[in-house]
């Protein structure tokens, strides 16, 4: 039972197929059932499997996992349930259909199985009202979030009669094999994530529209400055689907009590109704709050004018207040007296107050609410973590000064002289028992918890050094955290990383881990830094920035103690260059790795070319022919290839046999600690690379390859020029086979090629386009 060897998913829609795909990632046997098709019996489930196969980003961590999913239909294959360990219902949200299905399942399933529903709108008490007592003890809600592979949150709602042992087995499987962060929820409307997350969206929308803020400005505020994904509220509305959001709100209106503050914003805004009347449903339709059209091969996005319902061009939002938040924290925005600050505080305060209102109804623990928003909506911090950062006392005083009621929960906290999180220990507020130690379970350690009570070793606005004590091994470790926008690596971030590496010279520390808990490890070197220097023709400044970047990575690579990169999300461009020059990489299964610089008209300049070439040169197939290795790397970097999991990354050598994949993101830090300990005894810095390349002869081969690709229409004019600069690095410049090139020789070639490219207006146009609208310019 505890192994969950066979799982049946009923319902091959978006959620059912996503659940099936992620179960297949664990290499379990998965049977995907739906209604019997008219053309062929398994047509519906086969179509769903075909969609999984073509999904982008991929729902599978590697293509071979698709073989673990078997299609079927509810007429011919219902007996597949007989030997299933777990049966997951993900059918249409109609209680009559669900009740009928549960009755049929109960007649067929084995006594050791567990049954769950993926519903997010129907209460558990309603789902189970016609069930047998034995089925009730084996039933729960397992609410996955879409896309299932990438969204960490799994909300579980259990019956009062639940078999505790079975539920523990289910939780362990979902945590350890599916990598889910589990939050136990009470049986309340929308549970936790959607209840507060959708309320937050509605409040952010209503406040913006009533204050007359343009949609792109509102998204620029209710987004990254508050640690919320850059889609903001209007972009997220379009992404989810405006019509679907209306249905979600209708469900809340039906289930919530009249005195619930959500009822103030539960009705779709009139602007939403106007969009739906025009047939605009968001990204899946003609558009919504944003409209995207392709013009001359380029995607052009326009924003909705909510006054006359027309669309207008807009520049990428770059608010000075948002830049201040990056350096000063959320107080810079929330305390700002401008219309932007007033909007942000109005939204922030309503979310905080509603979160407080929902305790203890949805859960008694503030950590449950914070975890649900962090893992289900990708917030950097949950509501109570944001309140903790702002300061409970400051917040209450401001509410009182502005004439607002203080939520009862916050009054209680103040009376007890307690805050959401204790600044002196790893404790959080529990409505039932006051402050309690945060117990995340074995193998789990979060930087976010540590930061609430620990003092940093060193910090600037771009990066921070933290000290951790690994109690199990009686040693002190350093953790270097990046925290710029998208964790782009500017000079200040690299200064702190350099300081962390230098501190390893002390006997006080046994290792260094480069890690953060943002959505991405790092999206690369800071293009803003380079383009500002380039626009001033400050080539020496670019050379200085790149030289420092390279030297920090080199120093980290050859330090006398182990260094670990603990990677999740994007680790591309300069982010990958940092990660790949540590002693070992520990990567979450959903990590994206690659060198993508050619897309903005550059070549990797922080050691990426050198490091990838060295990895391929050491492959037994290429040890006698460095040129063949260089040609493989030429294709990988030239095409800007990315791998969407560590398993995929192995074929490009972005991820090596010595590196470690982790299934649950919450295990990254503990696994990184373990890797430091494993490497410590007798640790030696790696061998320094040596290359024997044929120079001009190899470059000519690469040039001919580029011309062939251009002739076939795979690349265009300027791509050839970029490719030639990349070729110059990978062929060793003006070397020949008789000369041995050092690591520094390759570093120098990388740096010079990048500087030569950025002097071209075409490269600068590409960079500006990427920074302006996040898209690649084809020029």
């Amino acid at each position: 039972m505890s192994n969950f060897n066979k799982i049946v998913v009923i319902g091959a829609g978006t959620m059912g197929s996503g659940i099936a795909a992620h179960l297949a990632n664990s290499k379990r046997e998965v049977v995907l059932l739906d209604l019997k098709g008219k053309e062929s019996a398994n047509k519906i489930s086969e179509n769903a499997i075909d969609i999984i196969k073509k999904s982008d980003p991929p729902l599978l961590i590697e293509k071979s996992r698709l073989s673990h999913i078997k299609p079927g239909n509810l007429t011919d294959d219902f007996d597949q349930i007989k030997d299933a360990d777990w049966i997951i219902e993900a059918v249409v949200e109609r209680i009559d259909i669900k009740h009928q299905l549960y009755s049929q399942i109960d007649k067929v399933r084995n006594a050791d199985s567990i049954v769950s529903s993926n519903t997010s709108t129907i209460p558990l008490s309603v789902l189970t009202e016609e069930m047998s007592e034995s089925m009730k003890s084996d039933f729960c809600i397992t609410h996955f979030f879409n896309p299932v592979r990438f969204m960490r949150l799994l909300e579980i709602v259990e019956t009062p009669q639940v078999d505790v042992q079975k539920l523990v087995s289910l939780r362990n499987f979902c945590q350890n094999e599916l990598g889910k962060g589990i939050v136990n929820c009470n049986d309340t409307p929308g549970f936790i994530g959607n209840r507060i997350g959708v309320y937050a969206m509605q409040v952010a929308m209503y406040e913006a529209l009533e204050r007359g803020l343009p949609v792109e400005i509102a998204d620029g505020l209710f987004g990254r400055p508050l640690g919320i994904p850059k889609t903001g509220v209007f972009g997220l509305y379009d992404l989810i689907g405006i019509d679907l959001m209306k249905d979600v709100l209708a469900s809340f209106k039906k289930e919530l009590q009249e005195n619930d503050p959500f009822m103030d914003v539960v009705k779709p805004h009139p602007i939403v109704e106007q969009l739906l009347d025009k047939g605009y449903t968001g990204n899946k339709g003609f558009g919504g709050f944003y409209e995207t059209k392709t013009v001359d091969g380029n995607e052009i996005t326009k924003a909705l004018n909510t006054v006359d319902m027309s669309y207008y061009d807009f520049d990428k939002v770059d608010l000075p207040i948002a830049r201040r938040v990056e350096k000063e924290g959320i107080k810079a925005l929330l305390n700002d007296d401008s219309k932007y600050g007033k909007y942000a505080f109005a939204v922030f305060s309503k979310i905080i107050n509603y979160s407080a209102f929902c305790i203890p109804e949805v859960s008694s623990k503030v950590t449950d609410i914070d975890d649900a928003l962090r893992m289900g909506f990708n917030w950097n911090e949950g509501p109570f973590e944001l309140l903790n950062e702002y300061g409970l006392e400051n917040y209450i005083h401001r509410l009182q000064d502005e004439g607002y009621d203080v939520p009862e929960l916050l009054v209680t906290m103040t009376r007890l002289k307690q805050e959401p999180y204790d600044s002196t220990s790893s404790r959080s507020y529990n409505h039932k028992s006051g402050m309690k130690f945060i117990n995340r379970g074995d193998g789990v350690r979060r930087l976010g918890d540590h930061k609430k009570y620990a003092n940093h070793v060193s910090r600037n606005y771009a990066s921070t050094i933290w000290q951790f004590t690994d109690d199990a091994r009686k040693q002190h470790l350093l953790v270097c955290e990046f925290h710029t926008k998208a964790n782009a690596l500017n000079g200040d971030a690299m200064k702190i990383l350099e300081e962390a590496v230098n501190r390893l010279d002390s006997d006080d520390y046994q290792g260094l881990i480069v890690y953060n808990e943002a959505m991405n490890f790092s999206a690369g070197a800071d293009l803003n830094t380079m383009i500002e220097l380039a626009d001033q023709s400050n080539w020496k400044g670019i050379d200085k920035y790149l030289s420092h970047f390279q030297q920090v990575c080199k120093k980290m690579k050859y330090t006398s103690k182990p260094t670990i990169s603990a990677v999740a999300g994007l680790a591309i461009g300069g982010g990958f260059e940092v990660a790949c020059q540590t002693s070992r990489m520990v990567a979450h299964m959903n990590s994206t790795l690659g060198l993508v610089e050619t897309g903005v008209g550059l070549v990797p300049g922080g050691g990426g070319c050198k490091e990838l070439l060295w990895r391929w040169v050491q492959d037994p197939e290429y040890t006698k022919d460095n040129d063949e290795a260089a040609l493989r790397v030429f294709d990988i970097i030239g095409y800007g290839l990315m791998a969407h999991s560590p398993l995929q990354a192995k074929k490009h050598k972005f991820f090596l046999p010595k590196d470690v994949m982790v299934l649950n993101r919450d295990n990254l830090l503990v696994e990184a600690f373990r890797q430091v300990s494993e490497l410590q005894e007798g640790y030696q810095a790696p061998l320094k690379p040596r290359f024997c390349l044929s120079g001009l002869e190899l470059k000519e081969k690469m040039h001919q390859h580029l011309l062939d690709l251009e002739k076939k229409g795979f690349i265009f004019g300027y791509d050839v020029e970029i490719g030639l600069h990349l070729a110059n690095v990978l062929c060793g410049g003006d070397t020949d086979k008789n000369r041995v090139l050092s690591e520094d020789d390759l570093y120098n070639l990388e740096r010079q090629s990048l500087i030569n490219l950025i002097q071209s207006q075409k490269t600068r146009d590409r960079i500006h386009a990427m920074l302006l609208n996040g898209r690649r310019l084809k020029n």
Side-chain angles (χ1 to χ4, degrees):
M1 164 67 196
S2 60
N3 290 328
F4 293 94
N5 293 316
K6 181 178 179 180
I7 304 169
V8 173
V9 179
I10 303 176
T14 300
M15 287 305 302
S17 59
I19 292 168
H22 196 49
L23 291 168
N25 284 330
S26 70
K27 291 188 174 181
R28 295 318 196 267
E29 179 186 352
V30 182
V31 181
L32 181 60
L33 302 179
D34 208 299
L35 297 173
K36 190 170 185 176
K38 294 180 180 179
E39 299 176 19
S40 62
N42 298 334
K43 184 67 174 176
I44 296 175
S45 54
E46 286 172 349
N47 284 346
I49 292 172
D50 192 49
I51 290 171
I52 292 170
K53 183 179 180 181
K54 298 175 182 176
S55 58
D56 184 22
L59 296 176
L60 300 171
I61 58 176
E62 62 175 354
K63 291 180 180 179
S64 65
R65 304 291 164 105
L66 192 68
S67 64
H68 292 275
I69 309 175
K70 307 300 181 187
N73 68 82
L74 290 167
T75 302
D76 302 327
D77 304 303
F78 202 77
D79 62 351
Q80 290 282 350
I81 288 172
K82 287 181 180 179
D83 58 346
D85 301 310
W86 182 13
I87 302 106
I88 304 172
E89 171 268 304
V91 303
V92 65
E93 297 286 73
R94 275 183 51 184
I95 192 59
D96 56 332
I97 292 175
K98 292 180 187 287
H99 280 167
Q100 183 182 8
L101 181 59
Y102 298 154
S103 177
Q104 293 173 323
I105 291 171
D106 200 15
K107 294 174 184 176
V108 177
R109 76 183 184 97
N110 68 78
D112 291 330
S113 67
I114 192 165
V115 184
S116 72
S117 173
N118 185 61
T119 187
S120 62
T121 61
I122 302 176
L124 181 67
S125 58
V126 175
L127 292 176
T128 59
E129 58 190 5
E130 296 183 7
M131 279 184 190
S132 65
E133 291 304 310
S134 61
M135 178 100 158
K136 285 181 182 178
S137 68
D138 295 337
F139 186 85
C140 64
I141 290 173
T142 50
H143 178 217
F144 292 89
F145 279 64
N146 188 43
V148 179
R149 174 187 165 189
F150 296 100
M151 299 304 292
R152 295 172 62 200
L153 181 61
L154 173 60
E155 294 180 316
I156 293 183
V157 188
E158 61 193 67
T159 64
Q161 305 94 327
V162 73
D163 183 319
V164 174
Q165 187 174 352
K166 286 186 180 180
L167 193 66
V168 168
S169 294
L170 180 67
R171 287 174 57 91
N172 288 341
F173 172 72
C174 292
Q175 284 179 317
N176 300 330
E177 301 293 327
L178 302 183
K180 292 300 171 187
I182 295 175
V183 172
N184 282 343
C185 304
N186 295 335
D187 188 17
T188 58
F191 313 130
I192 300 177
N194 282 344
R195 174 80 168 271
I196 297 173
V198 173
Y199 174 80
M201 290 176 63
Q202 287 299 106
V203 165
M205 170 184 286
Y206 266 78
E207 288 289 341
L209 295 177
E210 290 172 11
R211 292 167 184 265
L213 283 180
V215 297
E216 76 276 11
I217 297 296
D219 283 350
L221 294 167
F222 185 73
R224 282 176 170 149
L226 288 175
I228 293 168
K230 64 180 181 180
T231 50
V233 58
F234 295 106
L236 184 56
Y237 237 86
D238 283 354
L239 182 64
I240 294 171
I242 298 172
D243 53 341
L244 179 58
M245 281 298 300
K246 184 176 181 179
D247 292 341
V248 170
L249 292 171
S251 175
F252 276 116
K253 186 176 182 181
K254 178 182 176 182
E255 299 293 337
L256 294 173
Q257 299 294 317
E258 284 298 322
N259 68 337
D260 194 301
F262 200 151
M263 296 299 281
D264 294 338
V265 291
V266 78
K267 183 180 179 181
H269 194 279
I271 297 294
V272 169
E273 297 285 18
Q274 289 184 59
L275 285 169
L276 290 174
D277 288 344
K278 292 171 59 180
Y280 280 61
T281 56
N283 293 354
K284 65 185 177 183
F286 302 115
F289 290 100
Y290 296 96
E291 179 186 65
T292 300
K293 292 184 176 180
T294 301
V295 179
D296 297 330
N298 294 314
E299 286 190 345
I300 305 296
T301 299
K302 297 186 176 186
L304 179 70
N305 183 329
T306 56
V307 176
D308 62 9
M309 303 301 286
S310 64
Y311 290 92
Y312 60 88
D313 295 318
F314 68 96
D315 293 328
K316 186 175 181 179
V317 176
D318 185 18
L319 299 172
I321 187 63
R323 293 198 296 273
R324 279 185 56 205
V325 171
E326 189 174 319
K327 296 188 177 184
E328 301 172 28
I330 61 167
K331 289 182 182 179
L333 174 60
L334 297 176
N335 291 338
D336 189 74
D337 198 39
S338 69
K339 61 181 179 181
Y340 302 143
K342 290 177 180 178
Y343 165 72
F345 186 80
V347 175
F348 169 80
S349 61
K350 288 185 176 181
I351 294 171
I352 298 299
N353 292 352
Y354 190 62
S355 299
F357 172 85
C358 287
I359 287 182
E361 180 192 354
V362 301
S363 173
S364 63
K365 298 187 290 185
V366 299
T367 50
D368 281 347
I369 289 179
D370 285 341
D371 283 351
L373 272 296
R374 289 173 75 252
M375 296 188 292
F377 281 74
N378 282 330
W379 291 19
N380 286 350
E381 295 180 294
F384 289 104
E385 289 174 309
L386 288 167
L387 175 60
N388 203 67
E389 185 178 341
Y390 189 76
L392 177 61
E393 187 175 339
N394 291 337
Y395 179 69
I396 289 176
H397 285 161
R398 182 161 178 185
L399 288 183
Q400 291 171 337
D401 289 345
E402 297 184 13
Y404 294 107
D405 293 335
V406 178
E408 183 180 339
L409 178 77
L410 304 188
V411 172
T412 302
M413 284 185 183
T414 305
R415 177 170 50 80
L416 297 174
K417 296 183 179 179
Q418 296 175 345
E419 297 213 6
Y421 293 91
D422 194 325
S423 61
T424 60
S425 66
S426 184
R427 298 192 301 167
S428 64
Y429 184 81
N430 185 307
H431 188 66
K432 291 182 179 179
S433 53
M435 301 301 290
K436 288 190 69 174
F437 282 100
I438 302 172
N439 181 10
R440 302 288 186 186
D442 294 339
V444 175
R445 199 160 184 181
R446 288 188 186 170
L447 179 58
D449 293 339
H450 186 78
K451 287 161 63 175
K452 292 181 180 71
Y453 64 89
N455 293 321
H456 58 265
V457 175
S458 184
R459 162 181 284 172
N460 62 28
Y461 76 92
S463 193
T464 300
I465 304 172
W466 302 93
Q467 176 182 304
F468 272 79
T469 301
D470 186 354
D471 295 324
R473 301 171 181 88
K474 308 299 181 185
Q475 59 185 0
H476 298 303
L477 304 173
L478 293 174
V479 172
C480 183
E481 174 200 20
F482 304 130
H483 41 71
T484 56
K485 182 178 177 181
N487 287 330
L489 302 175
N490 59 23
D492 289 313
M494 297 306 288
K495 282 178 185 176
I496 292 294
L497 178 58
E498 182 177 30
E499 182 180 340
V501 173
N502 289 340
R503 286 177 180 270
L504 291 181
D505 292 337
S506 164
D507 292 336
D508 295 336
Y509 305 110
Q510 283 72 51
L512 167 66
I513 298 162
V514 187
Y515 171 75
N516 66 76
E517 290 175 345
M519 284 184 66
N520 298 310
F521 177 79
S522 172
D526 186 29
L527 288 177
N528 281 302
T529 294
M530 287 197 282
I531 199 64
E532 286 174 12
L533 293 168
D535 286 343
Q536 300 165 14
S537 298
N538 187 353
W539 317 123
K540 288 185 179 179
I542 294 175
D543 187 59
K544 182 179 179 181
Y545 165 73
L546 291 173
S547 294
H548 182 245
F549 193 112
Q550 292 176 345
Q551 292 311 306
V552 172
C553 289
K554 184 179 177 182
K555 188 182 294 186
M556 179 174 64
K557 182 176 180 180
Y558 297 113
T559 187
S560 61
K561 294 174 184 174
T563 59
I564 305 292
S565 50
V567 172
L570 293 177
I572 57 175
F576 176 73
E577 289 177 306
V578 167
C580 75
Q581 293 180 87
T582 56
S583 310
R584 188 166 291 177
M585 189 188 303
V586 176
H588 182 237
M589 66 174 168
N590 292 340
S591 302
T592 296
L593 309 175
L595 292 165
V596 297
E597 286 86 346
T598 56
V600 289
L602 297 172
V603 298
C609 298
K610 172 267 305 180
E611 197 64 29
L612 199 60
L613 179 59
W614 180 231
R615 292 177 176 204
W616 279 92
V617 162
Q618 293 178 92
D619 187 311
E621 187 177 343
Y622 300 103
T623 50
K624 294 181 180 179
D625 194 341
N626 285 193
D627 284 1
E628 283 301 312
L631 287 167
R632 289 298 302 270
V633 175
F634 184 64
D635 276 342
I636 293 169
I637 298 178
Y639 283 118
L641 297 181
M642 291 191 294
H644 294 285
S645 77
L647 297 181
Q648 290 181 353
K650 286 182 177 180
K651 69 178 181 180
H652 303 315
K653 302 193 189 299
F654 296 147
F655 196 75
L656 298 176
K658 67 176 182 177
D659 298 327
V660 179
M661 184 175 80
V662 171
L663 300 179
N664 193 313
R665 187 165 178 169
D666 276 339
N667 300 142
L668 267 177
L669 199 51
V670 170
E671 182 59 34
F673 289 168
R674 196 181 74 79
Q675 292 300 318
V676 169
S677 180
E678 182 179 293
L679 289 170
Q680 269 181 330
E681 188 173 347
Y683 178 75
Q684 291 183 338
L687 293 173
K688 293 188 176 182
R690 294 164 61 84
F691 305 96
C692 293
L693 300 160
S694 61
L696 185 59
E697 179 185 338
L698 176 58
K699 187 173 182 179
E700 283 300 320
K701 286 184 182 179
M702 293 177 175
H703 188 193
Q704 187 58 53
H705 183 52
L706 291 169
L707 294 176
D708 290 342
L709 290 173
E710 183 182 32
K711 186 176 180 180
K712 294 174 183 177
F714 293 124
I715 63 175
F716 305 96
Y718 191 55
D719 295 326
V720 174
E721 189 171 338
I722 298 165
L724 285 172
H725 281 87
L726 175 61
N728 192 61
V729 178
L730 296 176
C731 77
D734 60 359
T735 189
D736 59 52
K737 281 283 181 73
N738 296 318
R739 179 183 167 197
V740 177
L741 297 179
S742 69
E743 186 171 34
D744 285 337
D745 290 328
L746 268 292
Y747 270 136
N748 291 336
L749 286 167
E750 284 187 25
R751 200 169 64 251
Q752 191 55 55
S753 288
L754 189 150
I755 292 171
N756 288 341
L757 278 167
I758 206 169
Q759 291 183 42
S760 167
Q761 187 61 49
K762 288 185 177 181
T763 285
R764 297 203 294 277
D765 287 344
R766 286 194 179 194
I767 295 174
H768 280 298
M770 181 61 70
L771 292 173
L772 187 63
N773 56 38
R775 294 193 180 93
R776 177 177 172 175
L777 175 67
K778 297 177 182 178
N779 59 351

